[in-house]
Amino acid sequence: MSQHTLPALSELEQYLHSKTDDIDFSVLKSSLAAAAAAPDRPDNDDILDHILPDAPNELRILLIKARNSLRQSILSAVHAPEKSQDRLNSLRQEMHSQTIDGFIVPLNDEFHGEAAPAASERLKWLTGFTGSAGMATVLADKAAIFVDGRYTLQVRQEVNTDLFTPRHVSDEPLSNWLNDNMKPGQSLAYDPWLHTESNINMLSKMAKQLEISLVAVDKNPIDEIWTDRPPEPLALVVPHSDVFSGETSAAKRERIAALLIETGQNASVHTLPDVNAWLLNLRGADLPSTPFALGFSILHKDSTVDLYMPTEKLSADLIPHLGNAVRVHDRQEFESGLKAMSGKRVQIDPAVTSQWIVSQLENAGAHITRADDPCMLPKATKNKTEIDGTRTAHIRDGAAITKFLHWLSVETPSGDIDELTAERKLRSFRELGDNFKDLSFSTISGAGPNGAIVHYRATPESNRKLEVGNLYLVDSGGQYLDGTTDITRTVAIGTPTDEMKERFTLVLKGHIALAQATFPTGTSGSQLDALARLPLWSRGLDYDHGTGHGVGSYLSVHEGPQRISKMPSTVALQPGMILSNEPGYYKTGEYGIRIENLVTVVPSPRINGAERDVMAFETLTFAPIDQNAIDIDLLDSSEKDWLNSYHQSVWDKISPLVDGDVKDWLKTVTAAL
Amino acid sequence: MSQHTLPALSELEQYLHSKTDDIDFSVLKSSLAAAAAAPDRPDNDDILDHILPDAPNELRILLIKARNSLRQSILSAVHAPEKSQDRLNSLRQEMHSQTIDGFIVPLNDEFHGEAAPAASERLKWLTGFTGSAGMATVLADKAAIFVDGRYTLQVRQEVNTDLFTPRHVSDEPLSNWLNDNMKPGQSLAYDPWLHTESNINMLSKMAKQLEISLVAVDKNPIDEIWTDRPPEPLALVVPHSDVFSGETSAAKRERIAALLIETGQNASVHTLPDVNAWLLNLRGADLPSTPFALGFSILHKDSTVDLYMPTEKLSADLIPHLGNAVRVHDRQEFESGLKAMSGKRVQIDPAVTSQWIVSQLENAGAHITRADDPCMLPKATKNKTEIDGTRTAHIRDGAAITKFLHWLSVETPSGDIDELTAERKLRSFRELGDNFKDLSFSTISGAGPNGAIVHYRATPESNRKLEVGNLYLVDSGGQYLDGTTDITRTVAIGTPTDEMKERFTLVLKGHIALAQATFPTGTSGSQLDALARLPLWSRGLDYDHGTGHGVGSYLSVHEGPQRISKMPSTVALQPGMILSNEPGYYKTGEYGIRIENLVTVVPSPRINGAERDVMAFETLTFAPIDQNAIDIDLLDSSEKDWLNSYHQSVWDKISPLVDGDVKDWLKTVTAAL
């Protein structure tokens, strides 16, 4: 249904027509469409009060209805796999008229973050693919879609494989496919906004090897043919109080500017949404589950910032919060902002900066310095206020989880509870907590075999009952003003099998080994990853995901540069970093196990005779680990001590926040082994 | 003393003059000088029989004397720190006449291996520095020498710091020094033979940033002024029998050629001495402790090879061993060999290939493919013959170590044994073993505080007694035709202190953790490194070297690409790889501890319920670990089991090779805890 025929819109228009002539409905409609292009979040009604202040309740309800209808309409227009053939035909016509032989369609947007708004879902629009990583390449007579191991099945369910040949991104890489399907001298085009400089460097090498020419398009051919492309999302951008950030934006800007001065830079360009949110102490609602406001910034060595972000998104109190040293411009002015860098030394991070930005700087005659974004490490190493905040947020979150686990213990014996019901119930417990803003990611609520799907998301079609004899895996988290949480618990419904207990205990041993580790300054997460896997490895088992990811402070639940994984890393773990500790085990078609707590890196208490500064992990997450699923014989005494001491802390911290049956239950499940 | 006045040479000349007119003495003299430029190795007299076959014993003795005199003369002429000022002056004059403002003097030669022959010891010649890693840079009025943390003290002892400012290579890098001392527009020159392409890429970036020009010299200015530069080493190159290699060179060449064909290459260039030795099943004696013959090779996709190596070095049986598919050329022909690659696809490894070679190929219009040397992994993953050979070599080596450790137990209570005596004694035990060719590196024989110097080498000046109450650390290895060994044992002389026992046991726990690890396919050594460190880390201790390096099969005792270290690596451990397992602990000024066995990667025995292919380490080294130095209370039951089972194997394998007191002693020291 096209937007102009939506009943909720007509209803709104009629209502306004009957009340006033002061409102230009076409302007209101485009604001509402932009608001609808922002995700469904608890705080995204705030923008309506910003668009139309002081609306009576009656009108506000109509506005919300109209916005929701528009959102439905946007979502269904973007994800329409049945139109792939038509869309692909149009794209090829456009490519032909732009005289390009091939075009790359990545999944990401120009901010190169983890998620992208509807207007940037070009890959989904073209192919119908809904995964979180992928890329298509279109030639005049062939097209392919490249996905990683997580999505090799899903891509075949979602995408018309007559149109797009599915390929495994590393086993069957783009270069091989291009080698088979392109001729030397042909042109492969890309949108320079959608590729980082690092990515273009790789593609250039490949193109050189294949003797094809790699060309940047001026206008993305998809945008040229995407007639009902959604607007940029319109969601309110608000201050993030110093009470939670622990450091003013002015202090942060001075700190980073000092780093720039140290290496002789005049300025640095920042495109990552979490970097800009951290640097300027602001938060938005442009994307699901992460409080991001999309925009670009240029930080100058005098510690002032030019911020390129639509001014209509900014809440009234944001402007004074930003102060005079932050100049806000519309995004169209970014180009001239870059041009003004002529002759200056400008630092960019090639791994996250669009080739378009690099080209603008080069054309302007700026001297480019390539380095990691200087905000990344300061952002990752939280200050005392942030760590204290995250500690209290985790206790509230742990209380919600405890209530939920108790609820499960009461309700699941009936066999009537299903994944979606459980997921909703968990959310309702979280929503009761102070400072709760949103979930920090889509809850993974997987019963039995669904628990074995690492990135599972329950749908009405996949929804399973939590049956007795099964394991239930629930991975979830909250966004609180004072911290971001992420926790996984695996619960035995009824009595688990011996094998389930063995595997659960191996995963727990790995979790404990990592939680107990001490390590010297300079140690990276990749050096510690094996500690969490060794118990599984010793029995010929493993899990195919990282052991730990960085977590932000009321920011992204996935942040770098810290991580604990098999992937080599030179990023040293530092005090104040927050990471997950989440080993797992997955038996396809049967069950999944994951035990996840967040931890923060702390200087280790002084050890007698120590010669090096060593660090350790402080566990932040407090919720019971299911002792029914443990094979006690597999734990050594140090592991039992850890578990008992952990459960004692869970009791100490969570029991004051619960009462009655929940408290009684908590006493039982946190009792020493 | 200049060479023409050496008494031994005159004696030889007189002898020959009295016997025959058939020998051109000046030709003989240059051959002898070239033989003298090869290192002092047990097998390096063989070349004399090659130079002058069937010489009577009387003459042979004179030849050896003359060669030894020449060697002394070469060594003292190369290492003459008192001449540094004159040499630096001459270099600056030469730089001036070549119109270059700066010149880089690296330590390595054009083969980029671990050691270099006398003719390539330009850094030592210029500065007097004798360490194993370093680099100098000379400007018109300033010069600096850059070394790593191991050599910051040594460089000040060896080098005139008025001439060369010592700098820490990573804390005070070249770029900073150049930034302070060169002006934009000046030229920094380098010898393209002595820098790999990767290194030049790095230097180019630096030069661009500093706005100086990086230029390749046509003639190394040091070689232009080094009037008594030693000749290239002349040492016999011999076949390495298939009995030891387990695979003919023809089969290897076909295997690698197939890899080249797979990616469409016409040829690959190989410069690493161990790669060429492996590929062609040949061994030489150009360098100390490693059986290398310096040369270059081009492998063609038809599996033939052009080998660039002086033909006068080749033993009579090498030519038939190489066969028709290997064409031997003098090194001067290498340039035309590269030019002949015009229009072809040629693979090189930028990390080990001289910029000179890359430039020749580029100028010839070859299409260069950059990739890891395709021989590296096949060489590193030893075949059954090589592994069986190394197993038996290790048992002979273990017997030598056992005899030595017994000798220590008898002799050290007197307090009269010193490091150099012990080192010689150990060598004499090894020399008794079958297939012994040489030590695999200079023995580290360190008593008390000398044991704490990781790369210690005993000299008459540093030589210490093995005193009661001290620890003695001995790290040594042998080159046998059937395998290369490397073992470290730390022995308590008398009764160790509680602290020594605690630290020894922590190191042992790390050694055992690594020895016992099982890990899935795809695991790299850097993922396992922490296992060996965790017991030390837990007490705030660590060691500043890698945990394990690759080891060759009668090749280098240090080989890549496998390693176990903190340094990130993506090289998966694979069956057949040989590595060391050598955690340590060093207390400066007091003592050092290291426990080193070699291990090989093996597929793990099938585990019940296993879902992944897992691998494990098989320990290759068999010699007692000093139980007097262990604090038994710190070992858990699995660690005790490992140690008892290891000592049982030591007894089973070594006891048949020893008898009398040694056997009785071995019984005692391998008894179960």
Side-chain angles (χ1 to χ4, degrees):
Chain A
M1 191 179 289
S2 75
Q3 294 181 2
H4 56 272
T5 60
L6 290 174
L9 264 186
S10 312
E11 201 184 339
L12 174 65
E13 186 172 16
Q14 278 162 27
Y15 174 89
L16 287 171
H17 193 66
S18 70
K19 300 280 178 185
T20 173
D21 287 332
D22 291 351
I23 293 169
D24 181 336
F25 187 68
S26 71
V27 170
L28 176 64
K29 207 176 82 175
S30 36
S31 292
L32 275 184
D40 184 7
R41 296 169 49 109
D43 53 3
N44 72 1
D45 293 349
D46 298 349
I47 192 73
L48 301 178
D49 306 319
H50 190 72
I51 294 172
L52 213 60
D54 305 320
N57 200 39
E58 199 179 26
L59 171 57
R60 203 167 183 275
I61 289 169
L62 289 175
L63 286 168
I64 291 176
K65 268 180 72 180
R67 193 270 325 271
N68 291 354
S69 284
L70 283 165
R71 178 176 294 137
Q72 259 334 103
S73 154
I74 287 172
L75 293 179
S76 58
V78 171
H79 187 234
E82 71 282 3
K83 296 189 182 157
S84 271
Q85 176 77 71
D86 292 345
R87 290 171 179 182
L88 184 59
N89 289 347
S90 307
L91 174 59
R92 283 179 169 143
Q93 273 174 25
E94 178 64 24
M95 285 166 58
H96 182 74
S97 74
Q98 291 197 19
T99 64
I100 54 181
D101 300 310
F103 184 64
I104 305 178
V105 185
L107 186 137
N108 56 274
D109 66 3
E110 62 271 40
F111 301 99
H112 306 284
E114 224 179 332
S120 300
E121 295 192 303
R122 297 176 182 88
L123 184 67
K124 187 193 275 182
W125 177 85
L126 181 66
T127 68
F129 178 66
T130 66
S132 68
M135 181 263 297
T137 298
V138 176
L139 305 178
D141 54 354
K142 286 206 170 74
I145 181 162
F146 299 81
V147 298
D148 64 41
R150 289 175 293 172
Y151 293 116
T152 45
L153 291 178
Q154 181 176 327
V155 72
R156 287 169 194 278
Q157 289 157 4
E158 294 183 339
V159 174
N160 181 343
T161 55
D162 293 338
L163 304 179
F164 297 92
T165 312
R167 314 251 312 177
H168 188 287
V169 68
S170 46
D171 298 348
E172 309 166 301
L174 176 63
S175 56
N176 293 11
W177 187 77
L178 292 179
N179 192 34
D180 293 344
N181 294 298
M182 285 191 90
K183 286 192 269 297
Q186 286 194 311
S187 62
L188 178 65
Y190 68 94
D191 179 345
W193 273 110
L194 305 183
H195 297 261
T196 63
E197 186 186 37
S198 302
N199 182 239
I200 290 304
N201 286 344
M202 258 169 42
L203 289 174
S204 296
K205 271 190 196 162
M206 183 196 72
K208 202 176 158 189
Q209 200 92 12
L210 299 173
E211 295 171 18
I212 58 178
S213 62
L214 186 71
V215 292
V217 293
D218 210 37
K219 293 178 171 177
N220 189 313
I222 289 187
D223 300 358
E224 294 298 293
I225 57 165
W226 190 354
T227 47
D228 58 350
R229 187 171 163 227
E232 297 297 322
L234 180 64
L236 207 62
V237 189
V238 298
H240 184 55
S241 164
D242 299 347
V243 170
F244 300 119
S245 70
E247 184 179 13
T248 63
S249 168
K252 290 178 180 177
R253 285 183 277 109
E254 272 168 35
R255 197 144 68 96
I256 306 300
L259 297 175
L260 297 180
I261 289 166
E262 228 172 65
T263 59
Q265 309 305 314
N266 294 98
S268 54
V269 179
H270 304 279
T271 66
L272 283 179
D274 59 344
V275 162
N276 284 313
W278 174 83
L279 181 64
L280 299 169
N281 282 345
L282 57 78
R283 297 294 186 269
D286 285 344
L287 296 173
S289 305
T290 43
F292 287 170
L294 300 174
F296 299 103
S297 73
I298 301 176
L299 169 66
H300 301 271
K301 68 173 181 182
D302 65 0
S303 84
T304 67
V305 161
D306 287 293
L307 173 65
Y308 301 88
M309 188 176 277
T311 44
E312 65 265 29
K313 300 174 76 162
L314 311 188
S315 72
D317 52 349
L318 185 63
I319 306 287
H321 176 75
L322 291 174
N324 292 335
V326 179
R327 298 169 289 269
V328 187
H329 313 270
D330 264 326
R331 188 167 144 185
Q332 292 88 304
E333 292 175 50
F334 186 38
E335 186 170 345
S336 59
L338 294 171
K339 284 214 174 99
M341 292 293 109
S342 170
K344 303 253 173 72
R345 287 194 182 272
V346 183
Q347 183 167 318
I348 59 120
D349 184 339
V352 298
T353 306
S354 291
Q355 179 62 36
W356 185 89
I357 294 173
V358 175
S359 302
Q360 296 301 312
L361 289 170
E362 277 174 347
N363 295 344
H367 304 284
I368 300 179
T369 301
R370 287 153 177 93
D372 292 341
D373 189 305
C375 297
M376 292 291 271
L377 264 182
K379 172 174 69 65
T381 48
K382 278 80 178 170
N383 59 38
K384 188 174 178 308
T385 304
E386 290 171 312
I387 293 294
D388 286 346
T390 209
R391 283 195 186 104
T392 55
H394 272 88
I395 291 170
R396 290 196 303 280
D397 201 64
I401 293 282
T402 298
K403 289 172 194 166
F404 172 69
L405 293 175
H406 167 258
W407 176 83
L408 278 183
S409 77
V410 172
E411 298 293 336
T412 51
S414 73
D416 284 342
I417 304 299
D418 62 32
E419 295 164 348
L420 287 171
T421 308
E423 182 179 330
R424 278 192 297 269
K425 190 74 191 173
L426 174 54
R427 182 182 180 113
S428 72
F429 285 123
R430 274 208 170 89
E431 283 172 344
L432 300 174
D434 287 345
N435 291 339
F436 177 82
K437 297 298 286 180
D438 197 357
L439 298 185
S440 59
F441 57 99
S442 302
T443 299
I444 298 172
S445 170
N450 286 342
I453 303 168
V454 174
H455 290 267
Y456 179 66
R457 188 167 174 183
T459 64
E461 296 74 39
S462 70
N463 194 18
R464 288 183 68 98
K465 291 270 165 65
L466 277 58
E467 289 170 44
V468 171
N470 269 346
L471 296 183
Y472 169 62
L473 183 156
V474 56
D475 185 353
S476 67
Q479 290 285 8
Y480 302 87
L481 282 174
D482 45 358
T484 301
T485 70
D486 182 1
I487 172 172
T488 310
R489 285 296 179 267
T490 305
V491 178
I493 310 294
T495 307
T497 66
D498 287 350
E499 185 194 82
M500 287 171 180
K501 289 175 76 169
E502 180 217 12
R503 307 285 151 104
F504 185 94
T505 312
L506 295 173
V507 171
L508 179 61
K509 284 167 79 77
H511 181 96
I512 295 173
L514 191 59
Q516 287 189 318
T518 50
F519 46 89
T521 304
T523 303
S524 73
S526 60
Q527 292 177 251
L528 301 180
D529 176 76
L531 303 182
R533 299 181 192 271
L534 209 59
L536 287 161
W537 285 356
S538 72
R539 306 216 173 180
L541 309 172
D542 200 3
Y543 50 95
D544 292 325
H545 58 72
T547 300
H549 53 81
V551 176
S553 176
Y554 186 39
L555 276 178
S556 180
V557 77
H558 294 146
E559 74 165 22
Q562 73 275 31
R563 64 162 181 253
I564 300 171
S565 88
K566 292 184 176 183
M567 300 258 292
S569 164
T570 54
V571 176
L573 297 176
Q574 292 181 36
M577 286 179 168
I578 299 176
L579 296 118
S580 65
N581 169 3
E582 51 174 316
Y585 168 77
Y586 309 92
K587 188 157 191 177
T588 307
E590 301 197 24
Y591 58 87
I593 296 164
R594 186 159 64 248
I595 303 172
E596 177 187 25
N597 286 341
L598 298 194
V599 297
T600 183
V601 181
V602 292
S604 169
R606 186 77 199 157
I607 301 163
N608 201 14
E611 295 171 355
R612 315 272 175 134
D613 287 332
V614 287
M615 295 177 294
F617 295 120
E618 173 195 323
T619 293
L620 296 168
T621 305
F622 293 99
I625 292 170
D626 189 357
Q627 304 207 34
N628 285 331
I630 296 176
D631 178 348
I632 298 176
D633 293 342
L634 291 179
L635 295 182
D636 67 26
S637 61
S638 128
E639 290 161 342
K640 279 181 210 157
D641 289 348
W642 184 90
L643 190 68
N644 289 338
S645 145
Y646 176 70
H647 273 143
Q648 182 63 47
S649 303
V650 173
W651 169 256
D652 294 344
K653 288 174 196 289
I654 305 299
S655 62
L657 279 72
V658 295
D659 42 31
D661 290 351
V662 180
K663 195 163 190 162
D664 295 345
W665 176 84
L666 183 62
K667 188 80 196 169
T668 317
V669 298
T670 57
L673 272 180
Chain B
M1 191 177 289
S2 74
Q3 293 182 5
H4 57 270
T5 60
L6 290 174
L9 264 187
S10 313
E11 199 183 342
L12 175 64
E13 185 172 19
Q14 278 162 26
Y15 174 89
L16 286 171
H17 193 67
S18 71
K19 298 283 178 186
T20 172
D21 287 332
D22 291 351
I23 294 170
D24 180 337
F25 187 70
S26 72
V27 170
L28 177 64
K29 207 177 81 172
S30 37
S31 293
L32 274 184
D40 184 7
R41 294 168 50 107
D43 53 2
N44 73 0
D45 292 349
D46 299 350
I47 192 71
L48 301 177
D49 306 320
H50 190 71
I51 294 171
L52 214 60
D54 306 320
N57 200 37
E58 200 178 24
L59 172 55
R60 202 166 183 279
I61 288 168
L62 290 175
L63 285 169
I64 291 176
K65 267 180 71 180
R67 193 269 326 271
N68 291 354
S69 284
L70 283 164
R71 177 175 296 137
Q72 259 334 103
S73 152
I74 286 172
L75 293 178
S76 58
V78 171
H79 187 234
E82 71 283 2
K83 296 187 182 159
S84 272
Q85 175 78 72
D86 292 346
R87 290 172 179 181
L88 184 58
N89 289 347
S90 308
L91 174 59
R92 284 182 167 140
Q93 273 174 25
E94 178 64 25
M95 285 166 59
H96 182 75
S97 73
Q98 291 196 20
T99 63
I100 54 182
D101 301 309
F103 184 63
I104 305 178
V105 185
L107 185 138
N108 55 277
D109 67 2
E110 62 270 42
F111 301 100
H112 306 284
E114 225 180 329
S120 300
E121 294 191 304
R122 297 177 182 90
L123 184 67
K124 187 193 275 182
W125 177 85
L126 180 67
T127 68
F129 178 66
T130 66
S132 67
M135 181 264 296
T137 299
V138 177
L139 304 179
D141 53 354
K142 285 207 170 72
I145 181 161
F146 299 81
V147 299
D148 63 43
R150 288 174 294 172
Y151 294 116
T152 44
L153 291 178
Q154 182 176 328
V155 73
R156 287 168 193 278
Q157 290 157 3
E158 293 183 341
V159 174
N160 181 344
T161 55
D162 292 339
L163 304 178
F164 298 91
T165 312
R167 312 253 310 178
H168 189 286
V169 67
S170 43
D171 298 348
E172 309 167 300
L174 177 62
S175 55
N176 292 10
W177 188 77
L178 292 179
N179 192 35
D180 292 344
N181 294 297
M182 287 191 89
K183 287 190 268 298
Q186 287 196 310
S187 61
L188 178 65
Y190 68 94
D191 179 344
W193 272 111
L194 305 183
H195 297 261
T196 62
E197 187 187 36
S198 302
N199 183 239
I200 290 305
N201 286 343
M202 259 169 41
L203 289 174
S204 297
K205 270 188 198 165
M206 184 195 71
K208 203 176 157 190
Q209 200 91 9
L210 299 173
E211 294 170 21
I212 58 177
S213 63
L214 186 70
V215 292
V217 293
D218 210 36
K219 294 179 169 175
N220 189 315
I222 289 188
D223 301 358
E224 294 298 292
I225 57 165
W226 190 353
T227 48
D228 58 350
R229 187 172 163 225
E232 297 296 323
L234 181 64
L236 207 60
V237 188
V238 299
H240 185 54
S241 165
D242 300 347
V243 169
F244 300 118
S245 71
E247 183 180 14
T248 63
S249 168
K252 290 177 181 179
R253 287 183 275 107
E254 273 168 34
R255 197 144 70 94
I256 306 301
L259 296 176
L260 297 180
I261 289 167
E262 231 172 64
T263 58
Q265 309 305 315
N266 293 98
S268 55
V269 179
H270 304 279
T271 67
L272 283 179
D274 61 344
V275 162
N276 283 315
W278 174 83
L279 182 64
L280 299 169
N281 282 345
L282 58 78
R283 296 294 187 271
D286 285 344
L287 296 174
S289 305
T290 43
F292 287 169
L294 300 174
F296 298 103
S297 74
I298 301 175
L299 169 65
H300 302 270
K301 68 174 181 179
D302 65 0
S303 84
T304 67
V305 160
D306 287 294
L307 173 66
Y308 301 88
M309 188 177 276
T311 45
E312 65 267 30
K313 299 174 77 162
L314 311 189
S315 73
D317 51 350
L318 184 63
I319 306 287
H321 176 77
L322 291 175
N324 292 334
V326 180
R327 298 169 292 267
V328 186
H329 314 270
D330 263 328
R331 189 169 142 183
Q332 293 87 306
E333 293 175 50
F334 187 39
E335 186 170 345
S336 59
L338 294 173
K339 285 214 174 98
M341 291 294 109
S342 170
K344 304 251 173 74
R345 285 192 183 274
V346 183
Q347 183 166 317
I348 59 121
D349 184 339
V352 298
T353 307
S354 291
Q355 178 63 36
W356 186 89
I357 294 173
V358 175
S359 301
Q360 297 301 312
L361 289 170
E362 277 174 348
N363 295 344
H367 305 284
I368 301 179
T369 302
R370 287 153 178 93
D372 292 340
D373 189 305
C375 298
M376 291 291 271
L377 263 183
K379 173 174 70 62
T381 49
K382 278 80 178 171
N383 59 39
K384 189 177 178 307
T385 304
E386 291 172 311
I387 292 294
D388 286 346
T390 209
R391 284 196 186 101
T392 55
H394 272 87
I395 291 170
R396 290 195 304 279
D397 201 64
I401 293 283
T402 298
K403 290 172 193 164
F404 172 70
L405 293 175
H406 166 257
W407 176 84
L408 279 183
S409 78
V410 173
E411 298 293 336
T412 52
S414 73
D416 284 343
I417 303 300
D418 62 32
E419 295 165 348
L420 286 170
T421 309
E423 182 180 329
R424 279 192 298 270
K425 190 74 190 174
L426 175 54
R427 183 183 178 113
S428 72
F429 284 123
R430 274 209 171 86
E431 283 172 344
L432 300 173
D434 288 344
N435 292 338
F436 177 82
K437 298 296 287 179
D438 198 356
L439 299 185
S440 58
F441 58 98
S442 302
T443 298
I444 297 172
S445 169
N450 286 341
I453 303 167
V454 174
H455 290 266
Y456 179 65
R457 188 167 174 184
T459 64
E461 295 73 40
S462 70
N463 195 17
R464 287 183 69 98
K465 291 271 164 65
L466 278 55
E467 289 169 42
V468 171
N470 270 345
L471 295 184
Y472 169 62
L473 183 155
V474 55
D475 185 355
S476 67
Q479 289 286 9
Y480 302 87
L481 283 174
D482 44 359
T484 301
T485 69
D486 183 0
I487 171 173
T488 309
R489 286 296 180 267
T490 304
V491 178
I493 311 294
T495 307
T497 65
D498 287 349
E499 185 194 82
M500 288 172 180
K501 288 175 79 169
E502 180 218 14
R503 307 285 150 102
F504 185 95
T505 311
L506 295 174
V507 171
L508 179 61
K509 285 168 79 78
H511 181 97
I512 294 173
L514 191 60
Q516 286 189 317
T518 50
F519 46 90
T521 306
T523 303
S524 74
S526 59
Q527 292 177 250
L528 301 180
D529 176 76
L531 303 181
R533 299 181 192 270
L534 208 58
L536 287 161
W537 285 356
S538 73
R539 304 216 174 183
L541 309 171
D542 199 3
Y543 49 95
D544 291 326
H545 59 71
T547 300
H549 53 81
V551 176
S553 177
Y554 186 40
L555 275 178
S556 180
V557 77
H558 294 146
E559 74 167 22
Q562 72 275 29
R563 64 160 181 255
I564 300 171
S565 88
K566 291 184 179 186
M567 300 258 291
S569 163
T570 54
V571 177
L573 297 176
Q574 292 181 36
M577 286 179 168
I578 298 176
L579 296 119
S580 65
N581 170 2
E582 51 174 316
Y585 168 77
Y586 309 93
K587 188 158 191 177
T588 307
E590 300 197 23
Y591 58 88
I593 295 164
R594 188 159 62 246
I595 302 173
E596 177 187 25
N597 286 341
L598 298 194
V599 297
T600 182
V601 181
V602 292
S604 169
R606 185 80 198 154
I607 301 163
N608 202 15
E611 295 170 356
R612 313 275 174 131
D613 287 332
V614 287
M615 295 178 294
F617 295 120
E618 173 194 322
T619 293
L620 296 168
T621 305
F622 293 99
I625 292 170
D626 188 358
Q627 305 208 34
N628 285 332
I630 296 176
D631 177 349
I632 299 177
D633 293 341
L634 291 179
L635 296 182
D636 66 27
S637 62
S638 130
E639 289 161 343
K640 280 182 211 157
D641 289 348
W642 183 91
L643 191 69
N644 289 338
S645 146
Y646 176 70
H647 273 144
Q648 182 63 48
S649 302
V650 173
W651 170 256
D652 293 345
K653 288 174 196 290
I654 304 298
S655 63
L657 279 71
V658 295
D659 42 32
D661 291 349
V662 180
K663 195 164 191 161
D664 295 344
W665 176 84
L666 183 62
K667 188 79 195 169
T668 316
V669 299
T670 57
L673 273 180

